[in-house]
Structure formats: C-alpha cells, structure tokens
Amino acid sequence: MNEIETQLQEEQQAGLASLERVADPQALDTWKQTHLGKTSLVMTTYGKMGTFSKEERPLIGRAVNAVKVALEAALAEKEEVIKHEALLSSMASEKLDVTLPGFLPRRGRLHPINLTMREVFRIFGDMGFQVYSSPEVETDDMNFTYLNIPPYHPARDMWDTFYTEDEGVVLRTHTSPGQIRSMREYYPNPVRVILPGACMRYEQQDQSHEIEFMQFELLVVDKGVTFAHMKGTLDDFTKRMFGASAYTRLRPSHFPFTEPSAELDMACIFCGGSGCGVCHGTGWIELGGCGMVHPRVLEYGGYDPEIYSGFAAGVGIDRTTLLRYHIDDIRYLRNNDIRFLEQF
Ligand code: DAH
C-alpha cells in the first residue's frame, strides 16, 4: 500500500471519528468543509490524479472513491439525526412551530348520484319546473290504488315491494305517488313539478338492478297539455343532459296510470345507434316511462279530466348516472368504496 492510500485510510478514520462528536448544524457545516470541501484530502486527491503513474491511478482512484462514499453516507445519516434533534428542541422551546407542515383536512365531494340530481334540478329549473318532495314510505293507496292499480290488479306484480308491519304502508316502488300528492296540493292551479327520490323494489340484484334506486317523476297538469308538449320536454331534457347530438324516440307501452303510454328511448351514446354491448345490440337505451296522465289519476288528484290534461314521466337517476359517467355496474353506486367515489 503506498503512502497516499495510507493517508486516505487515516483520513476516513479521522473523518468518521470527528463526525461522531458533531452535535449541531454549524459544527456539521465545518466538518463538511474539512472532509469533503475543496481543500479536503479527498477532493485534492481527485485534482492530482493526473500526476500519478498509470499503474497507481486505478488503485488510488478506487481508494479515494471508497473514502468519499463512506464519508458521504455517514454525513447523510448525521444530517438526519441533527435535523430531528433540532426539531425536538424547537418543539420543546417554542409552543407553536408555524414552519411545521399542517394537517390537510380530507375534502369530501358529492356522490355521483347527487351530481346527476343537481344537473336534473338545474335543467328543469331552467324550464320552469319546481322540485316537490314526497315521502319514501307511502300508503298502499298512493303507491297503487290512486295510480289506477286497484288491489289484486296484476300490474302490482311488476312493482313488488317491501310491506311494513303497518297495514297499508309500503316502501314506495316509484316516485309516481308524488303525482297525487302534488296535484292535491296545487289544485286548482297548474302543476309543473319534478319529484325526485329513493324507491325500493323487491329485485334480483345484478349489474343493472338494485333494490334501492333513485328516480325522478315529471308531472305537468294544465288546460290544453298535449302529447307533443311531453315529447318536446323529454327530448329537450335528454339533449341538455347528454349533449345536443342526443336524440330520442317514444316506443308504445303500457302503464296503468297513463293513457296513452310510452317508453322514452335515447339513441345509444356509446355506439351512435349502430348497436353495441351497452344497448344490447339494439342501438337504443331506455331512459324511463311516460305518457298522458290517465283521467282516473287526474280525478284522484282532484282535477276534472274534462277540463284538464297532463303528462307524466319517470326517469331513473341511477341509470342516467351510469350513462353520464360511463359506469358499467349499478352496484358501485352504493357499496361505498372510497376508490370509486374519489373519481368524481
Ligand atoms: N312509475 C314507473 C316505474 O317506476 C315509471 C313511469 C312510467 C312513470 C310512466 C310515469 C309514467 O310517470 O308516465 O316503472
């Protein structure tokens, strides 16, 4: 081992030993200058590399690198220790350290269903509709009978639900009972409301069915309301919700509380109508049911069907949310997975 290598080894020992005694940031700075600064043995040895013989150069190079690495590693460790000690002593001496990073509150956000609901409110608000809230626990009469579904009517099977222990009280299966409640409150004035909220059905749960879901009902009652008003309103809503290129069709259907009745379909926004997995190859996606309010339902609401007419619709808010955000399983909406909810 030549003289320089010996010197380097001594320097490493001396450097590590003196670092042990360093106890504050100033001393650490001085140590850094002495052992790794411009005039340190390590740095000056690098500067003199050219003066060594060809044989010596790799040996000395390796030796100086090893010393530098060892000193730097020890320095990094010491820096951490000193920083921590400085923090502890500042915490002990000052009660409030405004330089400490604060704790950010976790920010909440709206559920995608609520985002959709607010958009529904905004759209219909612009069209002059009011929001009318109506109970989720309903009487059998409101949920069925006054909507022209008398006891033992087979249509009740379509809306099987949860019955409570109170005779004649059910969890509502649709927002339609709000039609009766709002008509009774508004009579004899015109009605132009949306009725949003939760509905329950006895369902087999799968990718597109849940036992609990949100719906909004649309109801307009006045003199001279026609099917064309309904078609225009629903098409306008669809365009405002899904973009100007969205378009709809009405498909003949049957509901006991409307006559005539229709299903509102929107041309599939995923494939543009040519057929894909989402629309099951049909090119159309069902948004809800609609129709002209049945004369008997108008009567139950207090309006004379000889003088007044109206239209109604029921649209799924969960379904609309899935389409708006391209979500492929309705069950995500209610299983409270933070990773899902944080995306909105
Ligand atoms: N209540 C129906 C359901 O939940 C949807 C519906 C259909 C509502 C036609 C309406 C309507 O107002 O006119 O399945």
Side-chain angles (χ1 to χ4, degrees), residues 49-109:
M49 273 326 236
T51 66
F52 303 131
S53 72
K54 228 172 154 190
E55 294 74 35
E56 281 176 321
R57 233 175 273 156
L59 295 175
I60 296 175
R62 222 171 291 140
V64 71
N65 282 344
V67 175
K68 183 163 178 274
V69 167
L71 291 178
E72 281 175 348
L75 170 67
E77 226 172 88
K78 191 73 177 185
E79 265 171 349
E80 279 308 306
V81 172
I82 288 194
K83 229 195 272 169
H84 187 65
E85 279 168 358
L87 176 65
L88 289 181
S89 79
S90 91
M91 286 204 301
S93 62
E94 307 160 31
K95 287 282 173 288
L96 174 70
D97 183 350
V98 292
T99 67
L100 275 178
F103 296 99
L104 281 182
R106 215 183 158 121
R107 284 183 71 190
R109 58 193 76 210

Side-chain angles (χ1 to χ4, degrees), residues 158-159 173-176 179 201 213 215 217-218 255 257-258 261-262 288-292 311-315:
M158 228 170 100
W159 288 285
T173 59
H174 46 188
T175 45
S176 304
Q179 291 189 27
R201 279 183 204 173
F213 57 96
Q215 224 181 34
E217 192 86 4
L218 194 66
F255 296 99
F257 32 89
T258 43
S261 306
C290 57
M292 300 306 288
F311 70 80
V315 177

Side-chain angles (χ1 to χ4, degrees), residues 54-314:
K54 228 172 154 190
E55 294 74 35
E56 281 176 321
R57 233 175 273 156
L59 295 175
I60 296 175
R62 222 171 291 140
V64 71
N65 282 344
V67 175
K68 183 163 178 274
V69 167
L71 291 178
E72 281 175 348
L75 170 67
E77 226 172 88
K78 191 73 177 185
E79 265 171 349
E80 279 308 306
V81 172
I82 288 194
K83 229 195 272 169
H84 187 65
E85 279 168 358
L87 176 65
L88 289 181
S89 79
S90 91
M91 286 204 301
S93 62
E94 307 160 31
K95 287 282 173 288
L96 174 70
D97 183 350
V98 292
T99 67
L100 275 178
F103 296 99
L104 281 182
R106 215 183 158 121
R107 284 183 71 190
R109 58 193 76 210
L110 290 173
H111 191 281
I113 289 181
N114 281 328
L115 292 172
T116 304
M117 195 117 91
R118 289 191 177 194
E119 187 62 8
V120 169
F121 292 171
R122 193 189 63 75
I123 292 170
F124 283 105
D126 282 353
M127 293 194 222
F129 283 77
Q130 286 187 322
V131 177
Y132 186 94
S133 56
S134 151
E136 293 171 4
V137 181
E138 263 298 4
T139 64
D140 181 287
D141 282 343
M142 287 285 179
N143 198 78
F144 296 116
T145 313
Y146 302 153
L147 293 169
N148 200 27
I149 313 171
Y152 311 113
H153 191 287
R156 288 201 178 205
D157 291 350
M158 228 170 100
W159 288 285
D160 197 5
T161 184
F162 299 93
Y163 288 80
T164 69
E165 283 173 358
D166 291 337
E167 177 81 22
V169 178
V170 302
L171 303 187
R172 69 172 174 191
T173 59
H174 46 188
T175 45
S176 304
Q179 291 189 27
I180 304 295
R181 292 185 179 273
S182 57
M183 278 193 275
R184 289 184 177 179
E185 184 163 331
Y186 278 78
Y187 182 82
N189 298 305
V191 183
R192 201 191 285 173
V193 292
I194 55 172
L195 307 144
C199 307
M200 270 66 58
R201 279 183 204 173
Y202 183 72
E203 287 270 15
Q204 188 75 40
Q205 285 166 288
D206 66 19
Q207 213 173 327
S208 49
H209 293 90
E210 268 279 21
I211 58 166
E212 184 198 334
F213 57 96
M214 305 288 271
Q215 224 181 34
F216 72 88
E217 192 86 4
L218 194 66
L219 177 68
V220 173
V221 177
D222 202 348
K223 292 172 185 158
V225 176
T226 70
F227 198 83
H229 292 132
M230 178 185 88
K231 185 169 162 52
T233 306
L234 293 174
D235 191 69
D236 195 24
F237 159 71
T238 310
K239 287 184 163 54
R240 290 183 196 221
M241 178 59 88
F242 294 102
S245 60
Y247 63 97
T248 57
R249 72 172 182 189
L250 293 175
R251 180 163 42 89
S253 184
H254 169 76
F255 296 99
F257 32 89
T258 43
E259 179 60 34
S261 306
E263 302 281 355
L264 173 68
D265 290 341
M266 172 176 69
C268 179
I269 49 174
F270 296 96
C271 63
S274 57
C276 67
V278 178
C279 60
H280 305 293
T282 63
W284 296 94
I285 293 174
E286 188 183 308
L287 291 183
C290 57
M292 300 306 288
V293 182
H294 194 284
R296 211 166 285 154
V297 175
L298 283 173
E299 271 172 2
Y300 277 123
Y303 288 79
D304 181 350
E306 295 295 329
I307 304 171
Y308 293 92
S309 59
F311 70 80

